[in-house]
Amino acid sequence: MPTPALSAVAAVADRLLPADGVITDHARLRTYECDGLAHYRVTPALVVIPEDAEQLAAVVRACAEQGVPFVARGSGTGLSGGALPHAEGVLIVTSKMRTIHAVRRDDQRAVVDPGVINLDVTKAATPEGYYYAPDPSSQQICSIGGNVAENSGGAHCLKYGFTTNHVLGADFVTADGDTVALGGAAPDSPGYDLLGAVVGSEGTLGIVTSVTVRLVRLPEEVRTLLVGFESTDHAGAATSAIIAAGIVPAAVEMMDALAIEAAEAAVQCNYPEDAGAVLVIELDGAAIEVEQEFAEVERLCHDNGAFELRVATDPTERALIWRGRKSAFAAVGRISPDYIVQDGVIPRTALPEVLKAISDLSGTSGVRVANVFHAGDGNLHPLVLFDDSVEGAGDAAEKVSGAILDLCIEHGGSITGEHGVGMDKSKYMPRMYTDEDLDTMQLVRCAFDPQSISNPGKVFPTPRLCGEVPGRRKGAHPLQEAGLAEVF
Ligand SMILES: Cc1cc2nc3c(=O)[nH]c(=O)nc-3n(C[C@H](O)[C@H](O)[C@H](O)COP(=O)(O)OP(=O)(O)OC[C@H]3O[C@@H](n4cnc5c(N)ncnc54)[C@H](O)[C@@H]3O)c2cc1C
């Protein structure tokens, strides 16, 4: 039975949205019960699919008035349970907000709705000679709003930077339903960098309803190389040597033997036989620059033990090289019934040591781990393989997966490189941050969302602020005294 508060929100949605934009039927609600991390499932109490920012803001305002939690959802491809619904809350889906409002060649900007698919921005900009650089492997389906919320990365973020480097402005619906403009068309906005706070906030501060993104000029020349090495140590050394030589390729991606085996089984990408690791390296820029860098990269790869180096000679060959890498997550399903896609980041120089430690962990636990990752910026994606039908296998995999994150922290890295904390990794936050660190972050959250209704239960291990759960502090917190938070 819906609560009176939820019924009040549903009534507002019924009044403002078309009939197919309000879902209350249990079977249809279940369609939205998880994101890309399917082992967490919660059926939302209500799903709304607004057609524009005004409808979306009105629903959020109704939630705020009734104290009903809400969760934003783009395409639901997130891998950390960030868009996991709230059982007593509203899931606000942006899939009908897919208009590209402007592609402006003169100032290299595009203005897009939050539900616009990442790759569609590039498709719209390409005739003008531009593209949108951040390219998650999910770019054919994930939304720009989700990218902003996760500060998503991708193979080409080594050279061009993550989402945060490409978002210049946003319209944003706060947790009480107000619409504010963050950032702007000019390169810097005075005052606090609220846009910076929102990018990567995983939907916990409010909902982005329009995004102004930077467009990048299409390069004159692109050269894609596939390089085979005996081991990940050799491939890692070649990566470090390339960067140390002052070359920043558009992408340097690594796959180990197990990941290659999976990709081969899934998409027959014809990677070098018997390779212990491959690098996919992409150089782009002015033709003369690419030519010079290519000669240097070729030399450095050979110096570091490359036994085979292929260069794509046409777009079909380039696509085939990338197909192996881009299909890698899904391909692992060919060699294991179940797997965890882990995501951590380490300083690039720690790659050999951490990969060796992961291999040792795998050896002692008997849990297989395939590695596929953005080697250039040290962003690891260990794929921890298991068979859920075997008793205890899931727990063993979970343990190895957590131990890998400990390795990342020990080596000066972080528990997520690009997939976010969401529901899944909130438990690991105290391994990285002190209580004081986490409290300070929650102060920011509280300033945006005093009722803690915007995607509650995500990112923070122990909700402490704004009336969620009593905190560890004795006595009133200054925010309570100021009447801004009920409980700290
Ligand atoms: C096969 C595969 C490959 C992937 N590869 C990559 C990769 O290379 N790099 C990478 O970074 N990620 C990758 N991902 C993860 C995922 O695609 C990204 O995190 C993506 O940005 C999520 O977008 P989405 O639209 O699916 O968001 P969702 O999953 O719907 O939501 C993600 C988070 O964003 C919030 N959110 C969504 N829309 C809004 C909004 N308008 N305003 C505020 N908050 C919002 C949600 O509440 C949630 O917390 C991959 C996923 C898959 C399945």
Side-chain angles (χ1 to χ4, degrees):
M1 272 297 282
T3 60
L6 194 75
S7 299
V9 176
V12 169
D14 276 335
R15 187 159 46 80
L16 296 176
L17 275 62
D20 66 350
V22 184
I23 299 174
T24 51
D25 169 62
H26 186 73
R28 289 186 63 208
L29 289 172
R30 287 199 57 198
T31 316
Y32 296 92
E33 66 186 2
C34 66
D35 62 6
L37 195 61
H39 61 266
Y40 293 111
R41 286 170 193 264
V42 173
T43 307
L46 175 69
V47 170
V48 298
I49 316 176
E51 292 175 312
D52 58 36
E54 285 72 33
Q55 291 178 1
L56 189 150
V59 171
V60 172
R61 207 171 307 119
C63 288
E65 280 163 13
Q66 300 297 329
V68 170
F70 63 86
V71 178
R73 177 181 167 112
S75 301
T77 66
L79 290 172
S80 56
L84 189 74
H86 191 290
E88 281 100 44
V90 183
L91 190 73
I92 302 178
V93 185
T94 61
S95 58
K96 285 190 182 175
M97 297 172 66
R98 290 208 169 142
T99 304
I100 297 179
H101 293 277
V103 175
R104 297 199 301 259
R105 180 195 163 111
D106 50 355
D107 63 354
Q108 298 182 219
R109 308 277 191 266
V111 182
V112 305
D113 273 354
V116 165
I117 301 300
N118 173 301
L119 193 59
D120 288 346
V121 183
T122 287
K123 283 183 186 160
T126 301
E128 305 288 329
Y130 290 87
Y131 73 110
Y132 179 61
D135 60 339
S137 303
S138 51
Q139 69 180 151
Q140 295 184 353
I141 39 170
C142 65
S143 74
I144 292 292
N147 293 173
V148 171
E150 298 287 2
N151 187 21
S152 293
H156 292 82
C157 292
L158 170 63
K159 180 168 179 179
Y160 294 100
F162 278 54
T163 300
T164 190
N165 304 112
H166 297 268
V167 174
L168 299 156
D171 289 346
F172 180 72
V173 172
T174 64
D176 52 12
D178 289 342
T179 300
V180 295
L182 307 175
D188 191 20
S189 306
Y192 293 125
D193 181 8
L194 298 182
L195 181 63
V198 165
V199 176
S201 61
E202 303 191 25
T204 59
L205 303 182
I207 304 185
V208 171
T209 54
S210 169
V211 190
T212 301
V213 296
R214 185 196 310 280
L215 300 174
V216 176
R217 190 98 178 89
L218 284 166
E220 185 185 356
E221 171 87 13
V222 178
R223 200 164 300 186
T224 308
L225 293 74
L226 177 68
V227 194
F229 294 88
E230 194 183 299
S231 70
T232 52
D233 275 2
H234 288 91
T239 304
S240 292
I242 292 166
I243 308 269
I247 299 168
V248 184
V252 182
E253 301 284 299
M254 197 194 295
M255 291 167 69
D256 72 3
L258 205 48
I260 298 169
E261 182 190 329
E264 210 61 67
V267 296
Q268 295 81 48
C269 45
N270 192 28
Y271 281 5
E273 250 176 67
D274 299 327
V278 293
L279 288 181
V280 175
I281 304 175
E282 194 151 276
L283 301 166
D284 71 2
I288 184 161
E289 180 191 340
V290 170
E291 193 59 47
Q292 283 173 1
E293 287 184 348
F294 172 70
E296 186 68 353
V297 165
E298 191 177 28
R299 184 182 68 74
L300 291 167
C301 285
H302 284 308
D303 285 356
N304 285 282
F307 65 82
E308 187 170 336
L309 190 147
R310 291 184 213 155
V311 185
T313 53
D314 58 36
T316 313
E317 282 186 17
R318 181 181 174 218
L320 187 63
I321 290 179
W322 274 114
R323 191 144 60 120
R325 164 61 186 92
K326 296 223 171 186
S327 68
F329 288 0
V332 167
R334 297 292 180 120
I335 59 168
S336 175
D338 301 285
Y339 58 95
I340 299 169
V341 179
Q342 189 48 284
D343 163 51
V345 67
I346 50 170
R348 189 178 46 241
T349 45
L351 271 177
E353 217 176 309
V354 171
L355 289 176
K356 162 88 174 60
I358 293 176
S359 159
D360 291 348
L361 256 178
S362 171
T364 49
S365 64
V367 175
R368 291 188 305 160
V369 180
N371 287 290
V372 43
F373 54 96
H374 309 306
D377 43 26
N379 184 188
L380 303 174
H381 290 311
L383 303 161
V384 183
L385 316 187
F386 65 102
D387 180 349
D388 212 17
S389 66
V390 176
E391 211 186 314
D395 289 344
E398 193 62 52
K399 216 165 144 192
V400 167
S401 189
I404 291 174
L405 294 184
D406 284 336
L407 282 172
C408 292
I409 297 170
E410 278 162 29
H411 287 81
S414 141
I415 59 170
T416 166
E418 57 185 17
H419 294 170
V421 178
M423 165 65 83
D424 190 44
K425 288 193 173 170
S426 57
K427 58 183 177 289
Y428 295 117
M429 289 285 270
R431 298 193 193 179
M432 227 184 125
Y433 294 112
T434 64
D435 281 351
E436 288 71 21
D437 295 337
L438 291 170
D439 281 354
T440 305
M441 288 188 213
Q442 297 217 48
L443 286 173
V444 176
R445 179 183 183 163
C446 195
F448 275 84
D449 177 19
Q451 293 192 80
S452 290
I453 53 171
S454 187
N455 211 2
K458 312 290 168 63
V459 180
F460 297 104
T462 319
R464 288 206 181 93
L465 272 184
C466 316
E468 284 179 314
V469 171
R472 68 188 164 81
R473 284 177 193 276
K474 306 264 186 307
H477 185 274
L479 276 176
Q480 285 171 269
E481 284 168 356
L484 291 175
E486 288 167 26
V487 180
F488 186 91

Short mmCIF file of all heavy atoms in Angstrom, two decimals, residues 52-85:
data_model
loop_
_atom_site.label_atom_id
_atom_site.label_comp_id
_atom_site.label_asym_id
_atom_site.label_seq_id
_atom_site.Cartn_x
_atom_site.Cartn_y
_atom_site.Cartn_z
N ASP A 52 10.39 16.82 -19.54
CA ASP A 52 11.22 18.04 -19.54
C ASP A 52 11.60 18.42 -18.12
O ASP A 52 11.13 17.81 -17.14
CB ASP A 52 10.49 19.19 -20.25
CG ASP A 52 9.15 19.52 -19.62
OD1 ASP A 52 9.04 19.43 -18.39
OD2 ASP A 52 8.20 19.86 -20.36
N ALA A 53 12.44 19.46 -18.02
CA ALA A 53 12.99 19.85 -16.72
C ALA A 53 11.90 20.37 -15.78
O ALA A 53 11.99 20.17 -14.56
CB ALA A 53 14.05 20.93 -16.93
N GLU A 54 10.87 21.01 -16.33
CA GLU A 54 9.81 21.55 -15.47
C GLU A 54 9.06 20.40 -14.78
O GLU A 54 8.80 20.45 -13.58
CB GLU A 54 8.81 22.40 -16.28
CG GLU A 54 9.34 23.77 -16.69
CD GLU A 54 10.40 23.67 -17.78
OE1 GLU A 54 10.31 22.76 -18.64
OE2 GLU A 54 11.35 24.49 -17.77
N GLN A 55 8.71 19.38 -15.55
CA GLN A 55 8.02 18.22 -14.95
C GLN A 55 8.90 17.57 -13.89
O GLN A 55 8.45 17.22 -12.81
CB GLN A 55 7.67 17.19 -16.03
CG GLN A 55 6.61 17.65 -17.00
CD GLN A 55 6.32 16.63 -18.10
OE1 GLN A 55 6.90 15.54 -18.13
NE2 GLN A 55 5.42 16.97 -19.00
N LEU A 56 10.19 17.43 -14.23
CA LEU A 56 11.11 16.79 -13.30
C LEU A 56 11.20 17.59 -11.99
O LEU A 56 11.10 17.03 -10.89
CB LEU A 56 12.49 16.65 -13.96
CG LEU A 56 13.53 15.81 -13.23
CD1 LEU A 56 14.48 15.14 -14.23
CD2 LEU A 56 14.34 16.59 -12.23
N ALA A 57 11.33 18.90 -12.12
CA ALA A 57 11.45 19.75 -10.93
C ALA A 57 10.18 19.67 -10.07
O ALA A 57 10.24 19.64 -8.84
CB ALA A 57 11.73 21.19 -11.34
N ALA A 58 9.02 19.60 -10.74
CA ALA A 58 7.76 19.54 -9.99
C ALA A 58 7.68 18.25 -9.17
O ALA A 58 7.22 18.25 -8.02
CB ALA A 58 6.58 19.64 -10.95
N VAL A 59 8.16 17.15 -9.75
CA VAL A 59 8.14 15.87 -9.01
C VAL A 59 9.10 15.95 -7.82
O VAL A 59 8.76 15.54 -6.70
CB VAL A 59 8.51 14.69 -9.95
CG1 VAL A 59 8.70 13.40 -9.14
CG2 VAL A 59 7.45 14.49 -11.02
N VAL A 60 10.28 16.52 -8.05
CA VAL A 60 11.24 16.64 -6.94
C VAL A 60 10.66 17.54 -5.85
O VAL A 60 10.77 17.24 -4.65
CB VAL A 60 12.60 17.20 -7.45
CG1 VAL A 60 13.53 17.52 -6.28
CG2 VAL A 60 13.27 16.19 -8.38
N ARG A 61 10.00 18.62 -6.26
CA ARG A 61 9.41 19.54 -5.27
C ARG A 61 8.35 18.79 -4.44
O ARG A 61 8.31 18.92 -3.22
CB ARG A 61 8.77 20.74 -5.99
CG ARG A 61 8.73 21.98 -5.12
CD ARG A 61 8.31 23.21 -5.92
NE ARG A 61 9.11 23.42 -7.11
CZ ARG A 61 8.66 23.41 -8.37
NH1 ARG A 61 7.39 23.21 -8.61
NH2 ARG A 61 9.47 23.62 -9.39
N ALA A 62 7.57 17.97 -5.11
CA ALA A 62 6.55 17.20 -4.38
C ALA A 62 7.22 16.22 -3.40
O ALA A 62 6.77 16.06 -2.27
CB ALA A 62 5.66 16.45 -5.37
N CYS A 63 8.31 15.61 -3.84
CA CYS A 63 9.05 14.69 -2.95
C CYS A 63 9.54 15.46 -1.73
O CYS A 63 9.44 14.97 -0.59
CB CYS A 63 10.25 14.07 -3.68
SG CYS A 63 9.81 12.84 -4.91
N ALA A 64 10.08 16.65 -1.96
CA ALA A 64 10.62 17.44 -0.85
C ALA A 64 9.50 17.82 0.12
O ALA A 64 9.67 17.71 1.34
CB ALA A 64 11.31 18.70 -1.39
N GLU A 65 8.37 18.21 -0.42
CA GLU A 65 7.26 18.61 0.46
C GLU A 65 6.76 17.43 1.29
O GLU A 65 6.38 17.59 2.44
CB GLU A 65 6.09 19.16 -0.39
CG GLU A 65 6.34 20.62 -0.81
CD GLU A 65 5.44 21.07 -1.96
OE1 GLU A 65 4.45 20.36 -2.29
OE2 GLU A 65 5.77 22.12 -2.54
N GLN A 66 6.81 16.26 0.70
CA GLN A 66 6.28 15.08 1.40
C GLN A 66 7.37 14.28 2.12
O GLN A 66 7.09 13.27 2.75
CB GLN A 66 5.59 14.14 0.38
CG GLN A 66 4.43 14.78 -0.36
CD GLN A 66 3.30 15.17 0.59
OE1 GLN A 66 3.07 14.52 1.61
NE2 GLN A 66 2.59 16.24 0.26
N GLY A 67 8.64 14.70 1.98
CA GLY A 67 9.75 13.95 2.62
C GLY A 67 9.95 12.57 2.00
O GLY A 67 10.36 11.63 2.68
N VAL A 68 9.67 12.45 0.70
CA VAL A 68 9.80 11.16 0.01
C VAL A 68 11.16 11.08 -0.70
O VAL A 68 11.52 12.00 -1.44
CB VAL A 68 8.66 10.98 -1.03
CG1 VAL A 68 8.90 9.79 -1.92
CG2 VAL A 68 7.32 10.85 -0.32
N PRO A 69 11.92 10.00 -0.49
CA PRO A 69 13.21 9.89 -1.17
C PRO A 69 13.06 9.71 -2.68
O PRO A 69 12.06 9.13 -3.14
CB PRO A 69 13.85 8.64 -0.56
CG PRO A 69 12.85 8.03 0.33
CD PRO A 69 11.62 8.87 0.38
N PHE A 70 14.03 10.19 -3.43
CA PHE A 70 14.00 9.98 -4.88
C PHE A 70 15.40 9.62 -5.36
O PHE A 70 16.41 9.96 -4.73
CB PHE A 70 13.47 11.22 -5.62
CG PHE A 70 14.34 12.45 -5.46
CD1 PHE A 70 15.41 12.70 -6.28
CD2 PHE A 70 14.06 13.36 -4.44
CE1 PHE A 70 16.19 13.83 -6.12
CE2 PHE A 70 14.84 14.49 -4.27
CZ PHE A 70 15.91 14.73 -5.11
N VAL A 71 15.45 8.90 -6.49
CA VAL A 71 16.71 8.46 -7.09
C VAL A 71 16.65 8.79 -8.58
O VAL A 71 15.65 8.46 -9.24
CB VAL A 71 16.90 6.93 -6.91
CG1 VAL A 71 18.19 6.46 -7.60
CG2 VAL A 71 16.91 6.53 -5.44
N ALA A 72 17.70 9.46 -9.09
CA ALA A 72 17.75 9.72 -10.53
C ALA A 72 18.29 8.49 -11.25
O ALA A 72 19.14 7.77 -10.72
CB ALA A 72 18.67 10.91 -10.81
N ARG A 73 17.76 8.27 -12.45
CA ARG A 73 18.28 7.17 -13.28
C ARG A 73 18.40 7.64 -14.71
O ARG A 73 17.46 8.23 -15.27
CB ARG A 73 17.34 5.97 -13.20
CG ARG A 73 17.78 4.80 -14.10
CD ARG A 73 16.76 3.67 -13.99
NE ARG A 73 16.95 2.69 -15.00
CZ ARG A 73 17.36 1.44 -14.79
NH1 ARG A 73 17.62 1.02 -13.59
NH2 ARG A 73 17.49 0.59 -15.80
N GLY A 74 19.58 7.40 -15.31
CA GLY A 74 19.76 7.71 -16.73
C GLY A 74 19.44 6.45 -17.50
O GLY A 74 18.28 6.06 -17.66
N SER A 75 20.51 5.74 -17.97
CA SER A 75 20.29 4.51 -18.74
C SER A 75 20.42 3.26 -17.88
O SER A 75 20.25 2.15 -18.38
CB SER A 75 21.30 4.44 -19.89
OG SER A 75 21.16 5.55 -20.72
N GLY A 76 20.81 3.43 -16.61
CA GLY A 76 20.90 2.27 -15.72
C GLY A 76 22.07 1.35 -16.04
O GLY A 76 22.01 0.15 -15.78
N THR A 77 23.16 1.90 -16.58
CA THR A 77 24.33 1.06 -16.89
C THR A 77 25.39 1.13 -15.77
O THR A 77 26.44 0.51 -15.90
CB THR A 77 25.02 1.48 -18.20
OG1 THR A 77 25.58 2.80 -18.02
CG2 THR A 77 24.05 1.50 -19.36
N GLY A 78 25.13 1.90 -14.75
CA GLY A 78 26.10 2.07 -13.67
C GLY A 78 26.51 0.73 -13.08
O GLY A 78 25.72 -0.21 -13.03
N LEU A 79 27.75 0.65 -12.63
CA LEU A 79 28.27 -0.62 -12.13
C LEU A 79 28.54 -0.60 -10.63
O LEU A 79 29.28 -1.43 -10.12
CB LEU A 79 29.55 -1.00 -12.90
CG LEU A 79 29.33 -1.38 -14.37
CD1 LEU A 79 30.65 -1.55 -15.11
CD2 LEU A 79 28.51 -2.67 -14.48
N SER A 80 27.96 0.37 -9.92
CA SER A 80 28.16 0.39 -8.47
C SER A 80 26.83 0.49 -7.71
O SER A 80 26.83 0.80 -6.52
CB SER A 80 29.08 1.57 -8.09
OG SER A 80 28.56 2.80 -8.57
N GLY A 81 25.73 0.24 -8.37
CA GLY A 81 24.44 0.29 -7.68
C GLY A 81 24.00 1.71 -7.37
O GLY A 81 23.17 1.92 -6.49
N GLY A 82 24.52 2.70 -8.10
CA GLY A 82 24.18 4.10 -7.83
C GLY A 82 22.72 4.41 -8.12
O GLY A 82 22.10 5.22 -7.43
N ALA A 83 22.16 3.78 -9.14
CA ALA A 83 20.77 4.06 -9.51
C ALA A 83 19.82 3.02 -8.90
O ALA A 83 18.67 2.91 -9.33
CB ALA A 83 20.62 4.10 -11.03
N LEU A 84 20.31 2.27 -7.91
CA LEU A 84 19.44 1.32 -7.22
C LEU A 84 18.28 2.10 -6.59
O LEU A 84 18.52 3.06 -5.86
CB LEU A 84 20.25 0.59 -6.14
CG LEU A 84 19.56 -0.59 -5.46
CD1 LEU A 84 19.51 -1.77 -6.41
CD2 LEU A 84 20.28 -0.97 -4.18
N PRO A 85 17.03 1.69 -6.86
CA PRO A 85 15.90 2.47 -6.34
C PRO A 85 15.79 2.39 -4.82
O PRO A 85 16.42 1.56 -4.17
CB PRO A 85 14.69 1.77 -6.98
CG PRO A 85 15.22 0.98 -8.11
CD PRO A 85 16.61 0.58 -7.73
#
